[in-house]
Amino acid sequence: MRAIDRTRRSWAEPYKIKVVEPIKMTTRPYREERIREAGYNTFLLKSEDVYIDLLTDSGTGAMSDNQWAGMMLGDEAYAGSKNFDHLAEAVQTYYGYRYIVPTHQGRAAEHILSKVMIKQGDTIPGNMYFTTTRLHQELAGGRFVDVIMDEAHDPQSEHPFKGDIDLNKLQSWIAKVGPERIPYVSFAGTVNMAGGQPVSMRNFREVHALCRKHGIKIMLDATRMAENCYFIKMREPGYADKTIAEIMREACCYSDGATMSAKKDNLANIGGWLAVNDEETYQKCCNLLVVYEGLQTYGGMAGRDMEAVARGIEECVQDDHIRARVGQVEYLGNLLLQEGIPVVKPIGGHAVFLDAKRFLRHIPQDDYPAQALAAELYVESGVRAMERGIISAGRDPETGENYHPKLELVRLTIPRRVYTQAHMDVTAESVVALWDRRDRIRGLEFEYEPKMLRFFQARFRKKE
Ligand code: P71
């Protein structure tokens, strides 16, 4: 039993549960069969065969009663839906950008932005790649260049802002290729692939100053920016008494626009947006929008979806919400740390990342330890996680060789407002049970490897 700490008051969820969705536990032989059928890829499992689903926090959050009520107020007109106005107002109010382009999800915003801004041979520096972001940059003729600080690649470094851009790296890259070959800096607020690690306000400010000097734009990936702002509030001097909403407005003012997957921070099951301050860029984006997504007042969303996103934006900057959200992730992380399980430190904003290199020391990276670990976690307990290592990193488009990322991780991603502390306890117990039998876990080899974003559909078999 946990002892009561008389010196503090715990956080608790700032909501109560009104609707529940039953989940069921399955047997181990049943799960062994399912994961084999799924080619040891957790993306290919059926959701009903999963007990606690920590695959992703994308589109998996629980909407509030206010969001559901908004869904009934969908204005499904082809043109000029009032829900679009609500969405645009919410983005303008809370993020501060001028022009808003609705898209069906984040990668659609990345697609359009990349096509509009990148020319053949351009390079796009950023704070660690994200799979879909980098792919759209490449498809538009550009190349992503990682300028994140070195600490981000070290799972054990406890630097409080491992998402920061290394100003020296950025400066030398600008000197090397020239500012005219850099359409923008791709800056993510909390870095997913680094373990949900935040960027400091100081770094946002300094990168902005450097880019201004060279006339280079900054495009923010605002997908988990509210979580980033929570870390600024907790860790950066001068921000403790500011609200998340205030911090967000300041942080966003150091960029020229943003792409957003509204399926994360914005608490919607589907949706996204692209925002820019420059009118000409906005017009070009709108023009591509009608080719790939839909009219400029719905993009890829129904009116009701835009209303859910608009209301989600307002909810996601509430201090109580974000404290409980990140608090729950920390709770799981601390349970694992306490048991000596190798996880990325500090604990990130949306997920706890198991360090598969240290978890499975006997499996070389070319035998896909993180993929194997995610598959075994499912067999152990029905908990579904996601590989974030060599499989996700894919191949260098020029050489065809596998990238070998320093980080070989399994992500336990916590959906927003969905699971309880008891689910976190069971998850931690499952990981510990797996840790105790880790020596018996075997590596994998490809049975089928898709060309793009291979991790989604790849199939594997166990290595002899
Ligand atoms: C996540 C996802 C969803 C996903 C995407 C690709 C592979 C596996 C899972 C999506 C993001 C994201 C960031 C920082 C843009 C997108 C694309 N994340 N930027 O983490 O995390 O947004 O999924 O709405 O298209 O599970 P989209």
Side-chain angles (χ1 to χ4, degrees), residues 258-340:
T259 52
M260 181 70 185
S261 171
K263 303 170 72 170
K264 281 85 164 172
D265 261 3
N266 288 176
L267 296 160
N269 297 128
I270 190 74
W273 44 265
L274 166 61
V276 291
N277 288 335
D278 174 55
E279 193 179 352
E280 198 189 322
T281 311
Y282 168 67
Q283 250 133 25
K284 286 185 191 160
C285 291
C286 281
N287 205 227
L288 279 190
L289 193 76
V290 294
V291 178
Y292 293 109
E293 291 281 297
L295 202 73
Q296 65 276 8
T297 55
Y298 73 85
M301 283 180 282
R304 55 180 173 271
D305 297 328
M306 293 189 284
E307 191 60 34
V309 175
R311 294 178 183 217
I313 289 173
E314 232 164 273
E315 292 176 16
C316 85
V317 296
Q318 301 305 315
D319 289 35
D320 285 353
H321 159 71
I322 204 80
R323 178 167 179 238
R325 191 298 185 263
V326 180
Q328 189 178 43
V329 178
E330 275 174 347
Y331 174 81
L332 174 62
N334 287 336
L335 283 179
L336 295 178
L337 280 172
Q338 215 172 287
E339 294 300 319

Coordinates of all heavy atoms in Angstrom, one line a residue, residues 258-340:
A258 N 2.3 26.9 -38.1 CA 2.4 25.6 -37.4 C 1.6 24.5 -38.1 O 0.6 24.9 -38.9 CB 1.8 25.7 -36.0
T259 N 2.0 23.3 -38.0 CA 1.2 22.2 -38.4 C 0.7 21.5 -37.1 O 1.3 21.5 -36.1 CB 2.0 21.1 -39.2 OG1 3.1 20.7 -38.5 CG2 2.4 21.7 -40.6
M260 N -0.5 20.9 -37.2 CA -1.1 20.3 -36.0 C -1.9 19.0 -36.3 O -2.7 19.0 -37.2 CB -2.1 21.4 -35.5 CG -2.8 20.9 -34.2 SD -1.6 20.9 -32.8 CE -2.6 20.2 -31.5
S261 N -1.6 18.0 -35.5 CA -2.5 16.9 -35.5 C -3.4 17.1 -34.3 O -3.0 17.0 -33.1 CB -1.6 15.6 -35.3 OG -2.5 14.5 -35.0
A262 N -4.7 17.4 -34.6 CA -5.6 17.7 -33.5 C -6.0 16.5 -32.7 O -6.8 16.6 -31.8 CB -6.8 18.4 -34.1
K263 N -5.5 15.3 -33.2 CA -5.8 14.1 -32.5 C -5.0 13.9 -31.2 O -5.2 12.9 -30.5 CB -5.4 12.9 -33.4 CG -6.2 13.0 -34.8 CD -5.6 12.0 -35.8 CE -6.1 10.6 -35.5 NZ -5.8 9.7 -36.6
K264 N -4.1 14.8 -30.9 CA -3.3 14.7 -29.7 C -3.8 15.8 -28.7 O -4.9 15.7 -28.2 CB -1.8 14.8 -30.0 CG -1.2 13.5 -30.6 CD -1.4 13.4 -32.0 CE -0.5 12.4 -32.7 NZ -0.9 12.3 -34.1
D265 N -3.0 16.8 -28.5 CA -3.3 17.9 -27.5 C -4.8 18.4 -27.7 O -5.4 18.7 -26.7 CB -2.4 19.1 -27.8 CG -1.2 19.2 -26.9 OD1 -1.1 18.3 -26.1 OD2 -0.5 20.2 -27.0
N266 N -5.2 18.5 -28.9 CA -6.6 19.1 -29.1 C -7.7 18.2 -28.8 O -8.9 18.5 -29.0 CB -6.7 19.6 -30.5 CG -5.9 20.9 -30.8 OD1 -5.8 21.4 -31.9 ND2 -5.2 21.4 -29.7
L267 N -7.4 17.0 -28.3 CA -8.5 16.1 -27.7 C -9.6 15.7 -28.6 O -10.7 15.4 -28.2 CB -9.1 16.8 -26.5 CG -8.1 17.0 -25.3 CD1 -8.6 18.1 -24.4 CD2 -7.9 15.8 -24.5
A268 N -9.3 15.6 -29.9 CA -10.3 15.1 -30.9 C -9.9 13.8 -31.4 O -8.8 13.3 -31.4 CB -10.4 16.1 -32.0
N269 N -10.9 13.0 -31.9 CA -10.6 11.7 -32.5 C -10.1 11.8 -33.9 O -9.5 10.9 -34.4 CB -11.9 10.8 -32.4 CG -12.4 10.6 -31.0 OD1 -13.5 10.8 -30.7 ND2 -11.5 10.2 -30.1
I270 N -10.4 12.9 -34.6 CA -9.8 13.1 -35.9 C -9.7 14.6 -36.1 O -10.4 15.4 -35.5 CB -10.7 12.5 -37.0 CG1 -10.0 12.4 -38.4 CG2 -12.0 13.2 -37.1 CD1 -8.9 11.4 -38.5
G271 N -8.7 15.0 -37.0 CA -8.7 16.4 -37.3 C -7.2 17.0 -37.3 O -6.3 16.3 -36.7
G272 N -7.1 18.1 -37.9 CA -5.8 18.8 -37.9 C -5.9 20.1 -38.5 O -7.0 20.5 -38.9
W273 N -4.8 20.9 -38.4 CA -4.9 22.2 -39.1 C -3.4 22.7 -39.3 O -2.5 22.2 -38.8 CB -5.6 23.3 -38.2 CG -5.3 23.3 -36.7 CD1 -6.1 22.6 -35.8 CD2 -4.3 24.0 -36.0 NE1 -5.6 22.9 -34.5 CE2 -4.5 23.7 -34.6 CE3 -3.2 24.8 -36.4 CZ2 -3.6 24.2 -33.7 CZ3 -2.4 25.3 -35.4 CH2 -2.6 25.0 -34.1
L274 N -3.4 23.6 -40.2 CA -2.2 24.3 -40.6 C -2.4 25.8 -40.4 O -3.5 26.2 -40.7 CB -1.9 24.0 -42.1 CG -0.9 24.7 -42.9 CD1 0.5 24.5 -42.3 CD2 -0.9 24.2 -44.3
A275 N -1.4 26.4 -39.8 CA -1.6 27.9 -39.6 C -0.4 28.6 -40.0 O 0.7 28.1 -39.9 CB -1.8 28.1 -38.1
V276 N -0.6 29.8 -40.6 CA 0.5 30.6 -41.1 C 0.1 32.1 -40.8 O -1.1 32.4 -40.8 CB 0.8 30.4 -42.6 CG1 1.4 29.0 -42.8 CG2 -0.4 30.6 -43.5
N277 N 1.2 32.9 -40.7 CA 0.9 34.3 -40.5 C 1.0 35.1 -41.9 O 0.5 36.2 -42.0 CB 1.9 34.9 -39.6 CG 1.6 34.4 -38.1 OD1 0.5 34.1 -37.8 ND2 2.6 34.4 -37.3
D278 N 1.6 34.5 -42.9 CA 1.9 35.2 -44.1 C 0.7 34.9 -45.1 O 0.4 33.7 -45.4 CB 3.2 34.6 -44.7 CG 3.5 35.2 -46.1 OD1 3.5 36.4 -46.2 OD2 3.7 34.4 -47.0
E279 N 0.1 36.0 -45.6 CA -1.1 35.8 -46.5 C -0.8 35.1 -47.8 O -1.6 34.2 -48.2 CB -1.6 37.2 -46.8 CG -3.0 37.1 -47.4 CD -3.7 38.4 -47.7 OE1 -3.1 39.5 -47.3 OE2 -4.7 38.4 -48.3
E280 N 0.3 35.3 -48.4 CA 0.6 34.7 -49.7 C 0.8 33.2 -49.5 O 0.3 32.4 -50.3 CB 1.9 35.3 -50.2 CG 2.1 35.0 -51.7 CD 3.5 35.4 -52.2 OE1 4.0 36.5 -51.7 OE2 4.0 34.7 -53.0
T281 N 1.5 32.8 -48.4 CA 1.6 31.4 -48.1 C 0.3 30.7 -47.9 O 0.0 29.6 -48.3 CB 2.6 31.2 -46.9 OG1 3.7 31.9 -47.1 CG2 2.9 29.7 -46.7
Y282 N -0.6 31.5 -47.1 CA -1.9 31.0 -46.8 C -2.7 30.7 -48.1 O -3.3 29.6 -48.3 CB -2.7 32.0 -46.0 CG -4.1 31.7 -45.9 CD1 -4.6 30.6 -45.2 CD2 -5.1 32.6 -46.4 CE1 -6.0 30.4 -45.1 CE2 -6.4 32.4 -46.3 CZ -6.9 31.2 -45.7 OH -8.2 31.0 -45.6
Q283 N -2.6 31.6 -49.1 CA -3.3 31.4 -50.3 C -2.8 30.2 -51.1 O -3.6 29.4 -51.6 CB -3.2 32.7 -51.2 CG -4.6 33.4 -51.2 CD -4.5 34.9 -51.0 OE1 -3.5 35.5 -51.2 NE2 -5.6 35.4 -50.5
K284 N -1.5 30.0 -51.1 CA -0.9 28.9 -51.8 C -1.4 27.6 -51.1 O -1.7 26.6 -51.8 CB 0.6 28.9 -51.8 CG 1.2 29.9 -52.8 CD 2.7 29.8 -52.8 CE 3.3 31.0 -53.5 NZ 4.8 31.1 -53.1
C285 N -1.4 27.6 -49.8 CA -1.9 26.4 -49.1 C -3.3 26.1 -49.4 O -3.7 24.9 -49.6 CB -1.7 26.6 -47.5 SG 0.0 26.6 -47.0
C286 N -4.2 27.1 -49.4 CA -5.6 26.9 -49.7 C -5.8 26.4 -51.1 O -6.7 25.5 -51.3 CB -6.4 28.3 -49.6 SG -6.7 28.7 -47.9
N287 N -5.0 26.8 -52.0 CA -5.1 26.3 -53.3 C -4.8 24.8 -53.4 O -5.5 24.0 -54.0 CB -4.2 27.1 -54.3 CG -4.7 27.1 -55.7 OD1 -4.0 26.8 -56.6 ND2 -6.0 27.2 -55.8
L288 N -3.8 24.4 -52.7 CA -3.5 22.9 -52.7 C -4.5 22.2 -51.9 O -4.8 21.0 -52.1 CB -2.1 22.7 -52.1 CG -0.9 22.9 -53.0 CD1 0.4 22.3 -52.3 CD2 -1.1 22.1 -54.3
L289 N -5.1 22.8 -50.9 CA -6.1 22.2 -50.0 C -7.2 21.7 -50.9 O -7.7 20.6 -50.6 CB -6.6 23.2 -49.0 CG -7.4 22.6 -47.8 CD1 -6.4 21.8 -46.8 CD2 -8.2 23.6 -47.1
V290 N -7.7 22.5 -51.8 CA -8.9 22.1 -52.6 C -8.5 20.9 -53.5 O -9.4 20.2 -53.9 CB -9.5 23.2 -53.4 CG1 -10.1 24.2 -52.5 CG2 -8.5 23.9 -54.3
V291 N -7.2 20.7 -53.8 CA -6.8 19.6 -54.6 C -6.8 18.3 -53.8 O -7.3 17.3 -54.2 CB -5.4 19.8 -55.2 CG1 -4.9 18.6 -56.0 CG2 -5.4 21.1 -56.1
Y292 N -6.2 18.4 -52.6 CA -5.9 17.2 -51.8 C -6.9 16.9 -50.6 O -7.0 15.8 -50.2 CB -4.5 17.2 -51.2 CG -3.4 17.2 -52.3 CD1 -2.6 18.3 -52.6 CD2 -3.2 16.0 -53.0 CE1 -1.7 18.2 -53.6 CE2 -2.2 15.9 -54.0 CZ -1.5 17.0 -54.3 OH -0.5 16.9 -55.2
E293 N -7.5 18.0 -50.1 CA -8.3 17.8 -48.9 C -9.7 18.1 -49.1 O -10.6 17.3 -48.9 CB -7.7 18.6 -47.7 CG -6.3 18.1 -47.2 CD -6.5 16.9 -46.3 OE1 -7.1 17.1 -45.2 OE2 -6.0 15.8 -46.6
G294 N -10.0 19.4 -49.4 CA -11.4 19.9 -49.5 C -11.4 21.4 -49.4 O -10.3 22.0 -49.4
L295 N -12.6 22.0 -49.4 CA -12.6 23.4 -49.4 C -12.0 24.0 -48.2 O -11.9 23.4 -47.2 CB -14.1 23.8 -49.5 CG -14.4 25.2 -50.1 CD1 -14.1 25.3 -51.6 CD2 -15.8 25.7 -49.8
Q296 N -11.6 25.3 -48.3 CA -10.9 26.0 -47.2 C -11.7 26.1 -45.9 O -11.1 26.5 -44.9 CB -10.3 27.3 -47.7 CG -11.3 28.4 -48.0 CD -11.8 28.3 -49.5 OE1 -11.6 27.3 -50.2 NE2 -12.6 29.3 -49.9
T297 N -13.0 25.8 -46.0 CA -13.7 25.9 -44.7 C -14.1 24.5 -44.2 O -15.0 24.4 -43.3 CB -15.0 26.8 -44.9 OG1 -15.8 26.2 -46.0 CG2 -14.7 28.2 -45.1
Y298 N -13.5 23.5 -44.7 CA -13.6 22.2 -44.0 C -12.4 21.3 -44.1 O -12.2 20.4 -43.3 CB -14.9 21.4 -44.4 CG -14.9 20.8 -45.8 CD1 -14.3 19.5 -46.0 CD2 -15.4 21.5 -46.8 CE1 -14.3 19.0 -47.2 CE2 -15.4 20.9 -48.1 CZ -14.8 19.6 -48.3 OH -14.8 19.1 -49.6
G299 N -11.6 21.5 -45.2 CA -10.4 20.7 -45.4 C -10.8 19.3 -45.4 O -11.7 18.9 -46.2
G300 N -10.3 18.4 -44.5 CA -10.7 17.0 -44.5 C -11.7 16.7 -43.4 O -11.8 15.5 -43.1
M301 N -12.3 17.7 -42.8 CA -13.2 17.4 -41.6 C -14.6 17.7 -41.9 O -15.0 18.5 -42.7 CB -12.7 18.2 -40.5 CG -11.5 17.7 -39.8 SD -11.0 18.8 -38.4 CE -10.2 20.2 -39.2
A302 N -15.5 16.9 -41.2 CA -16.9 17.3 -41.1 C -17.1 18.5 -40.2 O -16.2 18.8 -39.4 CB -17.7 16.1 -40.6
G303 N -18.2 19.2 -40.3 CA -18.4 20.4 -39.5 C -18.3 20.0 -38.0 O -17.7 20.7 -37.2
R304 N -18.9 18.8 -37.7 CA -19.0 18.4 -36.3 C -17.5 18.1 -35.7 O -17.2 18.4 -34.6 CB -19.9 17.2 -36.1 CG -19.5 16.0 -37.0 CD -20.5 14.9 -36.7 NE -20.3 13.8 -37.7 CZ -20.9 13.7 -38.8 NH1 -21.8 14.6 -39.2 NH2 -20.7 12.7 -39.6
D305 N -16.7 17.6 -36.6 CA -15.3 17.4 -36.2 C -14.6 18.7 -35.9 O -13.8 18.8 -34.9 CB -14.5 16.6 -37.3 CG -15.1 15.3 -37.6 OD1 -15.6 14.6 -36.6 OD2 -15.0 14.8 -38.7
M306 N -14.8 19.7 -36.7 CA -14.2 21.0 -36.4 C -14.7 21.6 -35.1 O -13.9 22.2 -34.4 CB -14.5 22.0 -37.6 CG -13.8 21.5 -38.9 SD -13.9 22.8 -40.2 CE -15.6 22.6 -40.7
E307 N -15.9 21.3 -34.8 CA -16.5 21.9 -33.5 C -15.8 21.1 -32.4 O -15.4 21.8 -31.4 CB -18.0 21.7 -33.5 CG -18.7 22.4 -32.3 CD -18.5 23.9 -32.3 OE1 -18.4 24.5 -33.4 OE2 -18.4 24.5 -31.2
A308 N -15.6 19.8 -32.5 CA -14.9 19.1 -31.4 C -13.5 19.6 -31.2 O -13.0 19.7 -30.1 CB -14.9 17.6 -31.8
V309 N -12.8 19.9 -32.3 CA -11.4 20.4 -32.2 C -11.5 21.7 -31.6 O -10.7 22.0 -30.6 CB -10.7 20.4 -33.6 CG1 -9.4 21.1 -33.5 CG2 -10.6 19.1 -34.2
A310 N -12.4 22.6 -32.0 CA -12.4 24.0 -31.4 C -12.6 23.9 -29.9 O -11.9 24.6 -29.2 CB -13.6 24.8 -32.1
R311 N -13.5 23.1 -29.5 CA -13.8 22.9 -28.0 C -12.6 22.2 -27.3 O -12.3 22.5 -26.2 CB -15.1 22.2 -27.8 CG -16.3 23.0 -28.3 CD -17.6 22.4 -28.1 NE -18.6 23.2 -28.7 CZ -19.9 23.4 -28.2 NH1 -20.3 22.7 -27.1 NH2 -20.7 24.2 -28.8
G312 N -12.0 21.3 -28.0 CA -10.8 20.6 -27.5 C -9.6 21.6 -27.2 O -8.9 21.4 -26.3
I313 N -9.5 22.5 -28.1 CA -8.4 23.5 -28.0 C -8.6 24.2 -26.6 O -7.6 24.4 -25.9 CB -8.4 24.5 -29.2 CG1 -7.9 23.7 -30.4 CG2 -7.5 25.7 -28.9 CD1 -7.9 24.6 -31.7
E314 N -9.8 24.7 -26.4 CA -10.0 25.4 -25.1 C -9.7 24.5 -23.9 O -9.2 25.0 -22.9 CB -11.5 25.8 -25.1 CG -11.7 27.3 -24.9 CD -13.1 27.7 -25.2 OE1 -13.4 28.0 -26.4 OE2 -14.0 27.6 -24.3
E315 N -10.1 23.3 -24.0 CA -9.9 22.4 -22.8 C -8.5 22.0 -22.6 O -8.0 21.8 -21.5 CB -10.8 21.1 -23.0 CG -12.2 21.4 -23.0 CD -13.1 20.1 -23.3 OE1 -12.6 19.0 -23.2 OE2 -14.3 20.3 -23.5
C316 N -7.7 21.9 -23.7 CA -6.3 21.4 -23.6 C -5.4 22.4 -22.9 O -4.3 22.0 -22.5 CB -5.8 20.9 -24.9 SG -5.1 22.1 -26.0
V317 N -5.8 23.7 -22.9 CA -4.9 24.6 -22.2 C -5.2 24.9 -20.8 O -4.7 25.8 -20.1 CB -4.8 26.0 -23.0 CG1 -4.2 25.7 -24.4 CG2 -6.1 26.6 -23.1
Q318 N -6.2 24.2 -20.3 CA -6.6 24.3 -18.9 C -5.5 23.7 -18.0 O -5.1 22.6 -18.2 CB -8.0 23.6 -18.6 CG -9.1 24.2 -19.4 CD -9.3 25.7 -19.3 OE1 -9.2 26.2 -18.2 NE2 -9.5 26.3 -20.4
D319 N -5.0 24.5 -17.0 CA -3.9 24.0 -16.2 C -4.2 22.7 -15.5 O -3.4 21.8 -15.4 CB -3.5 25.1 -15.2 CG -2.9 26.3 -15.9 OD1 -3.3 26.6 -17.0 OD2 -1.9 26.9 -15.3
D320 N -5.4 22.6 -15.0 CA -5.8 21.3 -14.3 C -5.7 20.1 -15.2 O -5.3 19.0 -14.8 CB -7.3 21.4 -13.8 CG -7.4 22.3 -12.6 OD1 -6.4 22.7 -12.1 OD2 -8.6 22.5 -12.2
H321 N -6.2 20.3 -16.4 CA -6.2 19.2 -17.3 C -4.8 18.7 -17.6 O -4.4 17.6 -17.5 CB -6.9 19.6 -18.7 CG -6.4 18.8 -19.8 ND1 -6.9 17.5 -20.0 CD2 -5.6 19.0 -20.9 CE1 -6.3 16.9 -21.1 NE2 -5.5 17.9 -21.6
I322 N -3.9 19.7 -17.9 CA -2.6 19.3 -18.4 C -1.7 18.8 -17.2 O -0.9 17.9 -17.4 CB -1.9 20.5 -19.1 CG1 -0.9 20.1 -20.1 CG2 -1.4 21.6 -18.2 CD1 -1.4 19.6 -21.4
R323 N -2.0 19.2 -16.1 CA -1.3 18.7 -14.9 C -1.6 17.2 -14.7 O -0.8 16.4 -14.4 CB -1.7 19.6 -13.7 CG -1.0 19.1 -12.4 CD -1.1 20.1 -11.3 NE -0.5 19.6 -10.1 CZ -1.2 19.4 -8.9 NH1 -2.5 19.8 -8.8 NH2 -0.6 19.0 -7.9
A324 N -2.9 16.9 -14.8 CA -3.3 15.5 -14.6 C -2.8 14.7 -15.7 O -2.5 13.5 -15.5 CB -4.9 15.5 -14.5
R325 N -2.8 15.2 -16.9 CA -2.4 14.5 -18.1 C -0.9 14.1 -18.0 O -0.6 12.9 -18.0 CB -2.7 15.3 -19.3 CG -2.5 14.7 -20.7 CD -1.2 14.2 -21.0 NE -1.0 13.7 -22.4 CZ -1.1 12.4 -22.7 NH1 -1.5 11.5 -21.8 NH2 -0.8 12.0 -23.9
V326 N -0.1 15.1 -17.8 CA 1.3 14.8 -17.7 C 1.6 14.0 -16.4 O 2.5 13.1 -16.3 CB 2.2 16.0 -17.8 CG1 3.7 15.7 -17.7 CG2 1.9 16.7 -19.1
G327 N 0.8 14.3 -15.3 CA 1.0 13.7 -14.0 C 0.8 12.2 -14.1 O 1.5 11.4 -13.5
Q328 N -0.2 11.8 -15.0 CA -0.4 10.3 -15.1 C 0.7 9.6 -15.8 O 1.1 8.5 -15.5 CB -1.7 10.1 -15.9 CG -2.1 8.7 -15.9 CD -3.5 8.4 -16.6 OE1 -3.7 9.0 -17.7 NE2 -4.3 7.6 -16.0
V329 N 1.3 10.3 -16.8 CA 2.4 9.7 -17.5 C 3.6 9.6 -16.5 O 4.3 8.6 -16.5 CB 2.8 10.6 -18.7 CG1 4.1 10.0 -19.4 CG2 1.7 10.8 -19.7
E330 N 3.8 10.6 -15.8 CA 4.9 10.6 -14.8 C 4.7 9.5 -13.7 O 5.7 8.8 -13.3 CB 5.0 11.9 -14.0 CG 5.8 12.9 -14.8 CD 5.8 14.3 -14.1 OE1 5.0 14.6 -13.2 OE2 6.7 15.1 -14.6
Y331 N 3.5 9.3 -13.4 CA 3.1 8.3 -12.4 C 3.6 6.9 -12.9 O 4.3 6.2 -12.2 CB 1.6 8.3 -12.1 CG 1.2 7.1 -11.2 CD1 1.3 7.2 -9.8 CD2 0.6 6.0 -11.7 CE1 0.9 6.2 -9.0 CE2 0.2 4.9 -10.9 CZ 0.3 5.1 -9.6 OH -0.1 4.0 -8.7
L332 N 3.3 6.6 -14.1 CA 3.7 5.3 -14.7 C 5.2 5.2 -14.8 O 5.9 4.2 -14.4 CB 3.1 5.1 -16.1 CG 3.6 3.9 -16.9 CD1 3.2 2.6 -16.1 CD2 3.0 3.8 -18.3
G333 N 5.8 6.3 -15.3 CA 7.3 6.4 -15.4 C 8.0 6.1 -14.1 O 8.9 5.4 -14.0
N334 N 7.5 6.8 -13.0 CA 8.1 6.6 -11.7 C 8.0 5.2 -11.2 O 8.9 4.7 -10.5 CB 7.6 7.6 -10.7 CG 8.1 9.0 -11.1 OD1 9.1 9.2 -11.7 ND2 7.3 10.1 -10.7
L335 N 6.9 4.6 -11.4 CA 6.7 3.2 -11.0 C 7.8 2.3 -11.6 O 8.4 1.5 -11.0 CB 5.4 2.6 -11.4 CG 4.1 3.0 -10.6 CD1 2.9 2.4 -11.3 CD2 4.3 2.6 -9.2
L336 N 8.1 2.5 -12.9 CA 9.1 1.7 -13.6 C 10.5 2.1 -13.2 O 11.3 1.2 -13.0 CB 8.9 1.9 -15.1 CG 7.6 1.4 -15.7 CD1 7.5 1.7 -17.2 CD2 7.4 -0.1 -15.5
L337 N 10.7 3.4 -13.0 CA 12.1 3.8 -12.5 C 12.4 3.2 -11.2 O 13.5 2.7 -10.9 CB 12.1 5.3 -12.4 CG 12.3 6.1 -13.7 CD1 12.2 7.6 -13.5 CD2 13.7 5.8 -14.3
Q338 N 11.4 3.2 -10.3 CA 11.5 2.6 -9.0 C 11.9 1.1 -9.0 O 12.6 0.6 -8.2 CB 10.1 2.7 -8.4 CG 10.0 2.9 -6.9 CD 8.5 3.1 -6.6 OE1 7.9 4.2 -7.0 NE2 7.9 2.1 -6.0
E339 N 11.5 0.4 -10.1 CA 11.8 -1.0 -10.2 C 13.1 -1.2 -11.0 O 13.4 -2.4 -11.3 CB 10.6 -1.8 -10.9 CG 9.4 -1.8 -10.1 CD 9.6 -2.5 -8.7 OE1 10.3 -3.5 -8.7 OE2 9.0 -2.0 -7.7
G340 N 13.8 -0.1 -11.4 CA 15.0 -0.3 -12.1 C 14.9 -0.6 -13.5 O 15.8 -1.1 -14.2

